[in-house]
Amino acid sequence: MNERTTVEKVSSARLREFYWDIRHKSGLRIFVFPKKFSTFYAVLGTRFGAVDRVFEDEKGKNIILPAGTAHFLEHKMFENADGTNSDERFAALGADDNAYTSYSTTRYLFSTTENFSECLAELMRFVMRPYFTKKSVKKEQGIIAQEIRMGDDSPWTCGTENMLRGLFSKSGLRDPICGSESSISEITDKILYRAHEAFYTPDNMALSVCGDVSCDEVVAIVDRELDGISAKTAARSVFEDEPNGVQSEKTVKHMNISRPLFFFGFKDDISGLSEAEKTKRRAAMSLLNNMLFSSSGAFYNRLVSEKLISPSFAFGYTMSRGAAYNSFSAESDRPEYVCELIRDELQRAAKEGLSKDDFERCRRVATAGYIRLFDSSEEIADDVMMNSWFSNCEPFDTPNVINGLTLEYCAQLLSEVFLDERSTVSLVKPFSEKGNE
Amino acid sequence: MELNTYKIRESVLLDHIRTDRFKKARLTITFVLPADNESYAKAALFLPTAMRATEKYRDFAALCRRCDELYAADISDMNSLRSGVCLVGLRAAMLGNEYINEDDRSEGFDVLGGVMEAMSQILLHPLLREDDLETEKLNFINRINAQVNDPFTFSLRRLREIVMKDMPGVITSDTAKEQAKKTDCQMLREFSESVLEKARLEFFYCGEESAERVKDLIEKHFSELLCEKSERAFSGLPERPAQNAEVNESGAYGQSHLLMGFRSGTVLDDKEFYAAELMNEIYGEGSISKLFLNVREKRSLCYFCGSGYDETNGIITVGCGINSEDRAEAQAEILCQLDEIRNGNISDAELEAAKQSIFSDCREAEDHPEDYEEFSRMARLFGGPLTIDEYRDGIAGVTKEQIADAARKTQLDAVYFLRGELKEDICDE
């Protein structure tokens, strides 16, 4: 909670943009990004995701939530006590609405070209005023069970989940976001209310709006819709300490697929880092990965021209609450061999050093990529503003962070982060290869 | 935003939108030709192979590095088939000059010029090497084989093969793979020459540059393409009655997939088009459609059930992922909801929400210039409304009775069911 609502204008000369950074008296953080687009986009998010399985109640007792609770709660939020459904309300206003749950957040959003005020009021209203019944929870279990089965048939979902289970032994990243059919059968309306009460508090949430809107208009709607909402502080999630090593070095799953897929992960240790250090590390890891593995580099092109991988080679660095990792994935007839080549390439680069030309080229690419995000109200509101808030960094700082990176720092990360003893390989193989290992 | 069309030559057009609304500019170069079953693989292989090496950019890495220098310009190939029409070309997105480094800007760094030069290399000076073609053939075949990785995508392709079997350009996966294996560099060169010389050519640009500047750059970098094209007439699609086919297959998946194809008998150029569009919106588009509310919300049979209408050929596709034991119930409910529309059971709220959703899409097009490009091309190829305003006015005037008529005209053509038969004990290690 804040004593009063404060408003600050934040500008970027490079981008020729500005936004309003509002700290509402309720504790809610609000970003208003004025943009002369036809589409208004708003997203209301909370720091409550799949990893938040255990929290401390008012008496200091640990409350354990079944896996998939955050996602289940997201599904149920759209039903209202008066029997209406917010999907229908948004449709009547000409808006499209949606929601999604990740490992560390849940977000509710709408996009519209008219009736913005009414839509924003509806968003605030239905998210902050939950309504669950035993009957509706039971019905939803059937729907989510189908969503789980859809994920179970996806080799990318299964491969990634197995990689995370290989990397982490204690982190909530081990659990699928949707949970399992078994875990969601334990979810009740009481559990959903408990979770909402614990984590859907204004001080744990942020609202991001982009479109032809004014700051005053948004604040007035939030004032009205949060009137009467409890000013409780969010519960504290409890996380076990994650050991340095990995849970397993290799997992193999067989599925109905045409060729093997690999998901190669390296766990990173970010404990003890400040928010500024985390922001810098995230930017540097992204740049480093591009230097070594992008389609502009020799390594990727060798893998493709030697027919070792399909062209869709994915790589990246992910930082979630308290955990971070690098990952590489692709289709390959020789997945273990390609993983060895990736290891060799990392060792070669660490030994021979990084190219200054590549570093500057990739820095230019990173900056250009960031600027291009500002062409859609959805990307601005969600990818830029909301992600920045969840990462505890300021949205317009990204170019400065990129400019402040050094080749030496990237080289330091290269030698620190990609350690064999902190790596795991998750393989998904066709049924036809079962028994050939 | 206003789209203006300029005729550069006979059968060579430029669609141009001048705006400073966006930070990135867009450029597409599209060759439009009749779909031809025999050229399916060549159309798919031509540009990916060309991008691997050109006279100036001797390998793919060199092309990518050049794009990086052009402030992360993104050049990609495109190849699509749409109801007897094949579209082959290149698409580029690039940062506007206003946002590049000041040093570069003051020295006259030209992002658009650089991108056009790179695109002209791909189209006009590809090396089309044997090794590169072999790599792309393998990628093409692997992509087709990989459709089994996503059972819904696989099911959709199977339904399409059944419903559109008489349509030019629709061939089975096995035929496509065989064609690819037989393709060699000489065939690719002949195909390339034929396309560049004869196919109708359309440029699309959206960004801060004027039409005059864009036309000048086109003349500079693509003069070899700017000859008069032999205008080949697109033959209409074969008419046939609904076949009422049913195909059942199985696969090692946990979930089953039910896909149903309908013939609406109405396409873009028909006066009933707007009613068919609204009929589909009410039937299965979005989270308040009849399919979503009944098959998912009311009966909890699936995570998603929806429909899609292809206005160029009149086919409506419905799909959902379900438990196999729920097939009969899901199929019956999907047909029941269509009957509801046929019987005129459309509430005022449903009709209003459907219209508002489409009106909203029309307004949103202002933020998505690719929508303008698509709209303009569709009108040229398949007829129908010439502007987004005309489309919106057509939707506004539709009545419930017209929607019910459109539904009564819609007939089930084929059902495809992929039964999931996964044994748990062979899953994990």
Side-chain angles (χ1 to χ4, degrees):
Chain A
M1 275 265 290
N2 304 313
E3 274 192 18
R4 57 189 178 86
T5 298
T6 61
V7 181
E8 182 191 349
K9 184 177 181 181
V10 184
S11 303
S12 164
R14 176 77 195 262
L15 291 170
R16 300 160 200 234
E17 305 278 9
F18 73 93
Y19 67 91
W20 300 102
D21 184 350
I22 303 155
R23 289 165 202 261
H24 192 260
K25 59 189 176 193
S26 66
L28 181 73
R29 186 84 175 270
I30 306 172
F31 301 100
V32 177
F33 201 112
K35 198 80 170 147
K36 293 270 184 218
F37 281 157
S38 299
T39 311
F40 303 91
Y41 197 94
V43 54
L44 179 60
T46 175
R47 286 189 216 272
F48 176 54
V51 299
D52 297 288
R53 294 280 316 280
V54 182
F55 68 94
E56 227 177 53
D57 71 3
E58 305 80 8
K59 295 173 186 153
K61 181 183 163 196
N62 279 359
I63 307 295
I64 301 172
L65 299 171
T69 297
H71 173 256
F72 203 112
L73 177 56
E74 175 234 301
H75 265 241
K76 291 319 301 170
M77 287 304 298
F78 293 82
E79 288 175 23
N80 304 305
D82 62 3
T84 61
N85 183 292
S86 288
D87 282 332
E88 290 165 0
R89 287 185 178 170
F90 278 114
L93 293 167
D96 288 323
D97 65 297
N98 210 336
Y100 65 93
T101 306
S102 69
Y103 285 106
S104 53
T105 81
T106 306
R107 304 185 199 189
Y108 303 84
L109 53 99
F110 71 84
S111 72
T112 190
T113 56
E114 56 180 354
N115 301 316
F116 168 74
S117 297
E118 293 88 335
C119 289
L120 182 60
E122 178 62 29
L123 180 71
M124 297 299 304
R125 194 178 305 134
F126 90 82
V127 173
M128 303 309 290
R129 292 169 178 79
Y131 177 71
F132 315 119
T133 65
K134 286 187 178 52
K135 186 177 167 188
S136 71
V137 166
K138 182 123 179 79
K139 179 181 80 68
E140 202 68 29
Q141 281 165 349
I143 293 170
I144 294 179
Q146 286 306 318
E147 189 179 353
I148 290 170
R149 288 189 180 200
M150 205 167 77
D152 287 347
D153 279 340
S154 163
W156 300 278
T157 300
C158 292
T160 301
E161 285 176 356
N162 280 348
M163 180 192 72
L164 291 174
R165 273 195 281 270
L167 285 176
F168 299 101
S169 51
K170 303 290 183 191
S171 166
L173 291 172
R174 290 182 54 79
D175 299 315
I177 292 171
C178 295
S180 65
E181 289 188 58
S182 163
S183 71
I184 65 170
S185 69
E186 298 168 20
I187 295 174
T188 65
D189 54 330
K190 285 189 174 50
I191 287 174
L192 295 181
Y193 274 120
R194 197 73 183 84
H196 189 279
E197 186 189 13
F199 293 103
Y200 281 63
T201 59
D203 70 319
N204 199 40
M205 300 174 73
L207 170 69
S208 174
V209 175
C210 179
D212 195 4
V213 294
S214 74
C215 174
D216 291 343
E217 183 184 4
V218 172
V219 172
I221 293 167
V222 172
D223 280 344
R224 197 171 64 235
E225 296 305 326
L226 289 188
D227 187 34
I229 295 292
S230 164
K232 262 184 80 168
T233 302
R236 191 180 72 85
S237 278
V238 177
F239 299 112
E240 288 185 67
D241 287 336
E242 178 68 34
N244 270 339
V246 294
Q247 175 72 7
S248 67
E249 290 178 5
K250 180 177 170 182
T251 54
V252 182
K253 183 179 176 76
H254 291 87
M255 295 180 73
N256 187 5
I257 57 175
S258 59
R259 297 168 78 205
L261 294 157
F262 70 84
F263 300 82
F264 188 19
F266 288 85
K267 189 170 171 178
D268 189 17
D269 180 10
I270 57 170
S271 56
L273 293 183
S274 68
E275 295 304 333
E277 284 166 337
K278 285 179 188 171
T279 300
K280 183 181 170 189
R281 195 178 190 89
R282 203 169 24 240
M285 285 305 316
S286 175
L287 207 138
L288 176 62
N289 281 331
N290 270 325
M291 286 170 67
L292 296 175
F293 300 110
S294 77
S295 56
S296 306
F299 181 71
Y300 166 82
N301 284 283
R302 175 198 161 191
L303 293 185
V304 172
S305 62
E306 289 183 19
K307 303 177 182 58
L308 289 170
I309 60 167
S310 61
S312 304
F313 176 48
F315 57 87
Y317 181 72
T318 305
M319 202 181 266
S320 189
R321 227 150 347 107
Y325 60 93
N326 277 291
S327 61
F328 305 89
S329 59
E331 238 183 38
S332 172
D333 288 323
R334 302 175 65 187
E336 288 103 326
Y337 176 58
V338 173
C339 291
E340 281 308 309
L341 291 179
I342 292 171
R343 270 193 226 275
D344 290 346
E345 176 64 12
L346 289 163
Q347 285 165 7
R348 180 206 64 76
K351 188 175 164 194
E352 294 177 13
L354 299 170
S355 152
K356 180 80 177 155
D357 284 347
D358 285 348
F359 175 76
E360 292 302 339
R361 178 173 52 76
C362 288
R363 199 194 335 236
R364 172 181 285 212
V365 167
T367 304
Y370 168 77
I371 294 172
R372 284 162 57 158
L373 289 173
F374 288 86
D375 267 355
S376 99
S377 47
E378 175 179 350
E379 284 181 319
I380 292 170
D382 210 355
D383 294 351
V384 181
M385 309 305 287
M386 198 54 100
N387 280 350
S388 296
W389 178 73
F390 279 114
S391 304
N392 296 307
C393 61
E394 294 308 312
F396 281 173
D397 274 354
T398 301
N400 294 335
V401 171
I402 295 172
N403 276 344
L405 295 176
T406 62
L407 186 63
E408 292 70 33
Y409 180 58
C410 290
Q412 176 196 322
L413 289 179
L414 177 58
S415 62
E416 272 176 18
V417 175
F418 295 99
L419 302 175
D420 284 348
E421 61 270 26
R422 297 171 66 99
S423 71
T424 190
V425 174
S426 158
L427 301 175
V428 184
K429 293 189 173 183
F431 284 130
S432 56
E433 290 194 20
K434 193 171 169 67
N436 289 346
E437 281 96 34
Chain B
M1 277 196 319
E2 193 182 338
L3 183 147
N4 292 300
T5 302
Y6 300 91
K7 184 168 156 181
I8 295 181
R9 299 286 193 283
E10 205 59 50
S11 300
V12 180
L13 302 175
L14 166 65
D15 281 335
H16 180 270
I17 298 175
R18 188 173 196 182
T19 180
D20 59 1
R21 181 191 277 236
F22 307 108
K23 289 179 172 46
K24 58 179 181 280
R26 291 165 178 82
L27 173 70
T28 60
I29 304 174
T30 309
F31 295 91
V32 184
L33 48 153
D36 167 14
N37 287 5
E38 299 305 314
S39 298
Y40 184 94
K42 283 179 279 191
L45 290 167
F46 162 45
L47 285 172
T49 308
M51 288 181 77
R52 296 240 147 250
T54 72
E55 283 175 19
K56 186 170 178 183
Y57 306 107
R58 304 298 284 197
D59 59 30
F60 189 62
L63 178 66
C64 291
R65 279 198 297 275
R66 177 56 180 152
C67 289
D68 288 349
E69 287 163 12
L70 293 167
Y71 287 86
D74 177 29
I75 300 177
S76 58
D77 69 285
M78 56 178 187
N79 169 39
S80 68
L81 286 160
R82 197 83 192 269
S83 304
V85 176
C86 177
L87 305 173
V88 172
L90 295 173
R91 179 170 280 142
M94 70 213 88
L95 214 54
N97 279 351
E98 296 279 297
Y99 299 97
I100 64 178
N101 290 339
E102 206 173 312
D103 291 344
D104 283 340
R105 201 164 53 243
S106 61
E107 284 172 19
F109 192 97
D110 178 12
V111 178
L112 177 60
V115 168
M116 280 205 178
E117 185 269 341
M119 289 167 104
S120 74
Q121 275 288 309
I122 296 165
L123 291 173
L124 297 170
H125 305 287
L127 296 183
L128 296 179
R129 298 183 299 209
E130 204 64 53
D131 281 354
D132 294 330
L133 175 58
E134 289 308 308
T135 300
E136 288 306 325
K137 279 160 71 169
L138 186 62
N139 290 339
F140 176 75
I141 290 166
N142 283 337
R143 269 198 305 276
I144 292 176
N145 289 339
Q147 283 168 359
V148 297
N149 295 8
D150 179 350
F152 186 81
T153 300
F154 175 80
S155 303
L156 200 53
R157 177 161 184 137
R158 286 291 294 123
L159 179 77
R160 198 168 172 266
E161 286 173 3
I162 299 161
V163 172
M164 301 183 199
K165 64 179 184 225
D166 302 323
M167 221 170 273
V170 178
I171 59 176
T172 66
S173 300
D174 286 342
T175 305
K177 288 190 284 187
E178 283 310 307
Q179 268 191 22
K181 285 175 193 167
K182 290 176 189 163
T183 303
D184 59 36
C185 286
Q186 181 55 29
M187 290 162 75
L188 219 53
R189 275 186 207 100
E190 287 165 7
F191 175 79
S192 157
E193 281 162 15
S194 171
V195 166
L196 300 187
E197 185 189 337
K198 295 178 187 166
R200 202 161 87 194
L201 177 55
E202 298 179 353
F203 293 87
F204 170 81
Y205 173 83
C206 174
E208 62 201 354
E209 302 283 4
S210 67
E212 289 315 308
R213 169 117 217 276
V214 176
K215 281 191 269 184
D216 284 346
L217 285 170
I218 289 172
E219 296 282 351
K220 178 180 175 185
H221 293 289
F222 300 103
S223 56
E224 293 169 52
L225 296 180
L226 305 181
C227 51
E228 292 201 5
K229 312 291 181 179
S230 44
E231 182 85 8
R232 286 193 272 179
F234 298 113
S235 52
L237 295 174
E239 290 271 346
R240 69 164 168 78
Q243 59 185 325
N244 219 12
E246 181 173 312
V247 174
N248 298 297
E249 294 177 343
S250 64
Y253 305 106
Q255 197 178 49
S256 300
H257 291 270
L258 175 64
L259 279 292
M260 297 168 73
F262 296 82
R263 290 187 176 269
S264 71
T266 305
V267 294
L268 251 178
D269 217 10
D270 295 329
K271 64 179 181 355
E272 299 89 356
F273 158 66
Y274 301 105
E277 187 91 311
L278 272 167
M279 186 259 296
N280 177 68
E281 188 77 24
I282 291 168
Y283 187 40
E285 288 276 5
S287 58
I288 60 158
S289 64
K290 286 189 180 295
L291 288 179
F292 194 91
L293 289 177
N294 288 282
V295 184
R296 169 178 149 147
E297 290 296 305
K298 201 164 153 188
R299 294 179 182 268
S300 301
L301 294 174
C302 58
Y303 171 66
F304 176 78
C305 182
S307 67
Y309 169 49
D310 187 337
E311 63 271 15
T312 62
N313 56 36
I315 307 279
I316 294 176
T317 306
V318 173
C320 57
I322 54 175
N323 291 335
S324 54
E325 59 267 28
D326 293 331
R327 182 224 172 135
E329 187 180 351
Q331 191 165 328
E333 190 61 32
I334 288 168
L335 293 172
C336 170
Q337 292 308 315
L338 184 59
D339 277 340
E340 287 287 294
I341 302 176
R342 286 170 174 152
N343 295 333
N345 292 337
I346 305 164
S347 68
D348 291 343
E350 278 177 314
L351 178 59
E352 187 57 23
K355 287 187 177 181
Q356 287 302 328
S357 175
I358 292 176
F359 295 157
S360 188
D361 289 344
C362 291
R363 285 187 290 266
E364 276 189 27
E366 288 276 320
D367 299 337
H368 303 286
E370 59 273 18
D371 289 351
Y372 276 73
E373 180 190 5
E374 167 86 354
F375 202 90
S376 178
R377 175 167 301 123
M378 288 296 112
R380 273 197 292 269
L381 286 173
F382 300 106
L386 293 175
T387 65
I388 292 179
D389 285 343
E390 189 184 329
Y391 171 67
R392 189 174 44 229
D393 291 344
I395 292 287
V398 173
T399 64
K400 284 185 195 178
E401 191 46 41
Q402 287 169 329
I403 294 170
D405 277 343
R408 285 190 279 268
K409 205 173 155 189
T410 298
Q411 299 300 317
L412 178 64
D413 188 87
V415 177
Y416 176 80
F417 184 65
L418 180 67
R419 176 182 292 272
E421 292 178 342
L422 185 64
K423 295 184 183 115
E424 285 301 323
D425 61 1
I426 60 169
C427 227
D428 261 305
E429 282 187 12

